[in-house]
Amino acid sequence: YVFVAAVLVAAAVVVISNDIYVYPTMLPHHIMDNQESLWGVEFGLRKTFDHCAIEYGGFYDNEHGFGAKLGFTHEFFYNHTPDRLRPYAGVTASIGQHYNGYLTNGYGLGAVVGCQYRLFDRLKVDLRYELSTTTSQLMLGLIFKYQKKYLWE
């Protein structure tokens, strides 16, 4: 029964969400220590509202494994910028293993600031900087809107 419940919850999250995102990551300060480069990827889903979004997903890196992430972003200056360009700021929380000069297990809280640029009707390029208690990274990724209307609309 636990497996069926987990599948139903995962399916509900996918149905309710609007976007899927992916951000390749690389921590350059790890390379400066003459160690193997630390690379990874952030991935997840987004539920969008008017001028804001809730992001939920995970991350993986080649040294520490997986973790989970939750975030909220809000657009600003949307009345004063071109329609294709959307600057935003928000908060993030994560749990898992992190590297920020040293290995930590646990959670991280932080802030994110960035800008989205709409390439096509459903595809955006997103540049963001995240600073938290466990990370400090600049990310360039893609956001794909897979659902404009819900199945029941």
Side-chain angles (χ1 to χ4, degrees):
Y1 293 111
V2 174
F3 177 74
V4 172
V7 168
L8 288 176
V9 168
V13 167
V14 170
V15 168
I16 290 172
S17 300
N18 304 94
D19 301 341
I20 186 168
Y21 67 86
V22 62
Y23 298 98
T25 61
M26 188 167 188
L27 299 178
H29 61 272
H30 194 66
I31 297 169
M32 291 177 195
D33 295 336
N34 294 324
Q35 299 177 11
E36 181 182 340
S37 62
L38 181 61
W39 58 267
V41 64
E42 286 195 15
F43 51 88
L45 299 170
R46 299 172 79 235
K47 170 63 182 143
T48 57
F49 303 96
D50 286 340
H51 308 295
C52 63
I54 298 174
E55 302 175 339
Y56 32 91
F59 58 88
Y60 170 80
D61 69 58
N62 64 327
E63 188 172 309
H64 308 118
F66 287 95
K69 196 160 203 178
L70 177 67
F72 175 79
T73 62
H74 193 280
E75 296 175 354
F76 55 91
F77 301 131
Y78 48 85
N79 290 331
H80 305 291
T81 59
D83 191 40
R84 291 183 168 272
L85 191 64
R86 295 292 184 200
Y88 63 86
V91 294
T92 63
S94 59
I95 187 165
Q97 296 180 328
H98 306 278
Y99 185 86
N100 191 16
Y102 55 91
L103 180 64
T104 60
N105 290 312
Y107 64 91
L109 298 172
V112 62
V113 63
C115 191
Q116 295 176 1
Y117 182 78
R118 190 180 70 226
L119 291 176
F120 304 108
D121 186 35
R122 293 180 180 252
L123 186 64
K124 298 176 187 174
V125 172
D126 188 40
L127 176 66
R128 63 172 54 191
Y129 176 70
E130 180 181 359
L131 178 62
S132 75
T133 56
T134 57
T135 60
S136 174
Q137 56 190 358
L138 183 65
M139 297 179 285
L140 179 65
L142 295 173
I143 299 174
F144 177 72
K145 182 174 288 301
Y146 67 88
Q147 180 169 247
K148 285 187 174 185
K149 291 186 177 181
Y150 294 112
L151 299 171
W152 55 87
E153 291 183 327

